[in-house]
């Protein structure tokens, strides 16, 4: 996977992405990440990238030309038109399934805005996807790009050491991940659930799936509709929901 980040703050993204698992994957050559500084493509002597908005209003607008030239630099290098993701709170909400879809691309361009935004004309010219990481407004697109690169990269082959860990996790089958325990067996009078000490793999698996179902109902009821469940698990879910409703009516 090759990531090309168009930004005014290359150090911010590269410092963050050179760390931990993503940094190691980069060192191993599993990922290529470059930050392309939009400022390097200005054509004025003060290297200004922004100007006042037509029609007035607060803030500044990043001009079309340096953004377009930075993009063209990437397009020329890779020799074809890549997907260009513009980080904006007005975009489609980034999800795990979007991460899975993007992980299949060979090149991804992230366009990070700052100030009040980017001239609309260059967005129309180059952007293929408008993406938001949530309903809140950040000062720029760099953190969203880093969030997305992290979520996408961990799905790529060999990036995580434990191959199973990307598969059996939160959002697998649209369920939240079951709770985990490690040593000691008793901590502050709290005992590890006995089934986990039993060595009975089928029972452990069943317990974990049921924990995932209950957690999803309790914390993310919006996900449970799409959960991939066996017949027995569906019956378990219906019973759990029924009992929960009864409990709620009693209080
Ligand atoms: N830029 C500013 N806020 C953002 C958000 N929530 N998601 C993506 N890009 C952004």
């Amino acid at each position: 996977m090759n990531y090309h980040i168009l930004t005014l703050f290359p150090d911010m993204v590269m410092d963050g992405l050179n760390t931990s698992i993503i940094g190691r994957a980069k060192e191993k050559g599993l990922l290529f990440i470059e930050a392309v500084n939009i400022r390097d493509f200005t054509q004025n002597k003060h290297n200004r990238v922004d100007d006042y908005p037509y029609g007035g209003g607060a803030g500044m607008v990043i001009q079309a030309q340096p953004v377009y030239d930075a993009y063209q630099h990437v397009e020329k290098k890779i020799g074809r038109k890549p997907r260009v993701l513009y980080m904006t709170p007005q975009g489609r909400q980034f999800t795990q399934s979007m991460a899975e879809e993007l992980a299949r691309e060979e090149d991804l361009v992230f366009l990070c805005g700052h100030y009040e935004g980017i001239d609309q004309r260059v967005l129309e010219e180059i952007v293929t996807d408008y993406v938001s990481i949530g309903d809140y407004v950040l000062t720029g697109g760099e953190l969203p790009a880093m969030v997305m690169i992290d979520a996408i990269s961990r799905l790529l082959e060999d990036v995580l050491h434990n191959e199973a860990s990307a598969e059996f996790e939160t959002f697998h089958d649209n369920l939240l991940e079951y709770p985990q325990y490690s040593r000691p067996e008793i901590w502050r009078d709290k005992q590890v659930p006995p089934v986990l000490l039993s060595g009975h793999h089928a029972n452990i698996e069943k317990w974990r799936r049921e924990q995932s179902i209950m957690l999803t109902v309790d914390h993310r009821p919006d996900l449970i509709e799409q959960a991939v469940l066996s017949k027995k698990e569906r019956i378990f879910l219906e019973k759990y929901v029924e009992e929960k409703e009864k409990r709620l009516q009693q209080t």
Side-chain angles (χ1 to χ4, degrees), residues 56 88 90 98 153 170 177 238 241:
T88 167
Q90 296 173 13
M98 204 192 292
S153 300
T170 298
E177 197 183 14
E238 279 160 20
V241 171

Side-chain angles (χ1 to χ4, degrees), residues 87-89 131-134 136-141 144:
M87 305 293 100
T88 167
V131 189
S132 165
I133 61 158
Y136 38 81
V137 181
L138 301 167
T139 56

Side-chain angles (χ1 to χ4, degrees), residues 3-7 13-14 17 33-36 110 112 145 149:
Y3 300 110
H4 314 269
I5 307 155
L6 310 184
T7 173
V13 283
M14 292 315 284
L17 295 170
I33 309 179
E34 65 167 348
V36 178
F110 291 84
C112 305
I149 288 169

Side-chain angles (χ1 to χ4, degrees), residues 184-193:
E185 250 181 72
I186 299 171
W187 180 77
R188 289 172 72 91
D189 290 337
K190 284 173 184 277
Q191 170 98 43
V192 171

Side-chain angles (χ1 to χ4, degrees), residues 86-149:
Y86 177 44
M87 305 293 100
T88 167
Q90 296 173 13
R92 188 155 66 100
Q93 165 95 45
F94 181 57
T95 59
Q96 189 65 23
S97 61
M98 204 192 292
E100 283 161 17
E101 187 215 318
L102 292 171
R104 292 195 281 273
E105 298 284 337
E106 209 168 299
D107 288 275
L108 288 172
V109 175
F110 291 84
L111 174 57
C112 305
H114 248 270
Y115 312 99
E116 287 307 296
I118 299 179
D119 190 305
Q120 179 65 20
R121 293 166 295 183
V122 69
L123 299 180
E124 289 168 9
E125 203 67 35
I126 67 171
V127 172
T128 59
D129 303 75
Y130 293 75
V131 189
S132 165
I133 61 158
D135 284 341
Y136 38 81
V137 181
L138 301 167
T139 56
E142 284 75 13
L143 286 170
M146 289 159 75
V147 165
M148 288 182 63
I149 288 169

